[in-house]
Amino acid sequence: MHRTYSKTAQHILSCAQTMRGGGVERALLRMAEGWLREGRRVTLVLGSDAGPLAAEIPPGIELIMLGDARYSALFRLGEHVRASAPDLVFCPGNHYSAVAALTRFYLGRTSPPIVAKVSNALVRPEQGRLGAWAYRRWLRLHPRFLDHVVAMTPAMAAEAVAEMRMPPERVSVIANPPAAARPDAAPMPLPAGRYIVGVGRLEPQKRWDRLIAALPRIADRQVQLLILGEGSARAALEKQVAALGLAARVSMPGHAGDPLPALAGATVVALTSDFEGVPGVLREALSVGTPVVSTESSVAVREIVTAPDLGTIVPREDPAALVAALDDWLTPGRTRPAPVAADGDPIAEYLALFDRLVAGQQQGF
């Protein structure tokens, strides 16, 4: 069993593949900043610092640079855990589950506690029957290599218990730290007049094609569409915009260092994903008083959009409902919601959990 001489999680180690701008990595950096502020030591094993989030790596974090952006580079994380001897390993999202599994396999009983955050839906309607079966089998292995799971909402915690078969006492509910304004971020040019904004990676999961396809059907023919993010689907989305003759109404300027000004200035925020975990952009939009329209892409969406005056939830495969919801919120004079403040202290809640797990492991000696 891992031997630690700390009674609490004084040294936390985590990992990330790149700094290309995913919500998982951005939330990790916010958490690391908070842990450092509370006097903890934080080590980040990073495949590559390529990407715009590199500017958000907090001062004081200890970096182990692998110099390799491939996911497989992180498969040797266990070697860095053994060399660094942290009190606890934090897996920042579903994407890194295989890394956590291999780390546990490599270290065996010498492994420190491993905590993982559920960052994406565990029930994936877009998967075929065979894919869904294989994914369920994989999820049910998680209790063997994870000591504890953090879900961001109660519904996501219930999904973790049901799909991973994780014992309820090994699942906690802790929100991501709220977004804060970043005065050091480069300003993002915003459309003149009214606009819809989407924030997220340009990847197939996000289904920005749905939002682009809805734009010509919206009653307001002058409203603009701003999509902030970068990813592999850019070329396909640009081709769609050109085919629909929307080049004058759609802008995709890339990653935003601070999306809050764009969210605050928008008439409505749209999220059209096939699947999500707990979409932070919805909370960020509501924090600045901007209504949202979202597909039912996660069990957590209804835990965020809790009332009709905050926004509208539509089925994933219902283009007419998406257009109707956008038209409703684009109605001139439509009342905007009051800003929704975040509850709790996620940094303190994470550290309390980490300390409890480290103390519990010590009692085994």
Side-chain angles (χ1 to χ4, degrees):
M1 185 174 288
H2 176 74
R3 177 68 172 177
T4 176
Y5 295 95
S6 299
K7 294 182 179 179
T8 55
Q10 290 301 308
H11 182 193
I12 302 160
L13 183 144
S14 191
C15 64
Q17 186 177 352
T18 69
M19 293 284 102
R20 289 179 184 151
V24 168
E25 291 76 21
R26 173 166 259 164
L28 170 61
L29 295 180
R30 279 190 214 145
M31 285 187 271
E33 189 172 36
W35 299 335
L36 289 165
R37 192 170 57 244
E38 294 300 316
R40 306 302 172 101
R41 177 185 171 193
V42 181
T43 296
L44 176 63
V45 179
L46 182 57
S48 168
D49 62 358
L53 284 183
E56 299 181 26
I57 296 175
I61 200 167
E62 298 176 26
L63 289 175
I64 297 176
M65 296 296 304
L66 304 182
D68 188 342
R70 293 175 299 174
Y71 182 70
S72 59
L74 291 172
F75 289 170
R76 299 178 67 182
L77 183 69
E79 297 176 21
H80 298 288
V81 173
R82 175 165 287 170
S84 300
D87 299 309
L88 180 136
V89 173
F90 177 66
C91 175
N94 302 40
H95 178 64
Y96 298 102
S97 290
V99 176
L102 290 170
T103 299
R104 175 70 76 180
F105 178 78
Y106 177 80
L107 294 171
R109 288 177 57 81
T110 69
S111 175
I114 300 178
V115 177
K117 187 182 78 172
V118 178
S119 60
N120 242 327
L122 301 180
V123 176
R124 302 272 291 275
E126 85 289 352
Q127 291 176 332
R129 181 177 298 179
L130 181 59
W133 176 85
Y135 190 54
R136 281 196 304 271
R137 298 290 295 179
W138 163 239
L139 289 175
R140 290 173 187 178
L141 294 175
H142 283 50
R144 300 186 183 186
F145 59 84
L146 297 178
D147 294 278
H148 206 89
V149 165
V150 174
M152 291 178 275
T153 70
M156 289 298 292
E159 194 168 88
V161 171
E163 299 302 320
M164 291 181 174
R165 304 289 172 87
M166 188 69 72
E169 65 273 14
R170 289 167 59 188
V171 180
S172 296
V173 177
I174 307 175
N176 276 340
R182 300 193 67 90
D184 57 331
M188 177 68 64
L190 301 179
R194 303 198 317 157
Y195 64 92
I196 302 163
V197 67
V199 180
R201 293 171 298 118
L202 305 185
E203 297 295 342
Q205 165 193 349
K206 299 295 185 179
R207 292 301 305 271
W208 295 123
D209 59 298
R210 288 181 177 139
L211 187 53
I212 293 168
L215 192 62
R217 301 176 59 195
I218 290 171
D220 184 345
R221 302 294 177 173
Q222 303 302 314
V223 71
Q224 303 282 301
L225 172 59
L226 174 66
I227 301 177
L228 301 178
E230 196 51 81
S232 64
R234 172 174 285 279
L237 296 174
E238 289 176 340
K239 183 177 180 180
Q240 181 188 14
V241 168
L244 293 173
L246 295 173
R249 295 178 63 191
V250 178
S251 55
M252 295 187 289
H255 173 82
D258 181 4
L260 287 178
L263 294 172
T267 306
V268 61
V269 171
L271 183 72
T272 50
S273 302
D274 271 337
F275 61 93
E276 290 281 348
V278 178
V281 66
L282 299 184
R283 283 183 164 155
E284 291 169 13
L286 294 174
S287 77
V288 294
T290 302
V292 300
V293 170
S294 174
T295 50
E296 191 136 29
S297 48
S298 162
V299 292
V301 170
R302 291 188 181 276
E303 295 178 293
I304 300 171
V305 188
T306 56
D309 59 346
L310 299 178
T312 306
I313 303 169
V314 299
R316 290 181 306 123
E317 301 292 352
D318 193 337
L322 176 60
V323 171
L326 291 170
D327 275 339
D328 181 34
W329 287 104
L330 290 166
T331 302
R334 186 74 156 82
T335 301
R336 291 168 70 90
V340 178
D343 293 328
D345 184 349
I347 297 301
E349 292 168 28
Y350 262 107
L351 291 179
L353 169 64
F354 292 172
D355 289 347
R356 176 167 61 82
L357 292 173
V358 171
Q361 189 182 63
Q362 273 205 333
Q363 291 173 7
F365 291 105

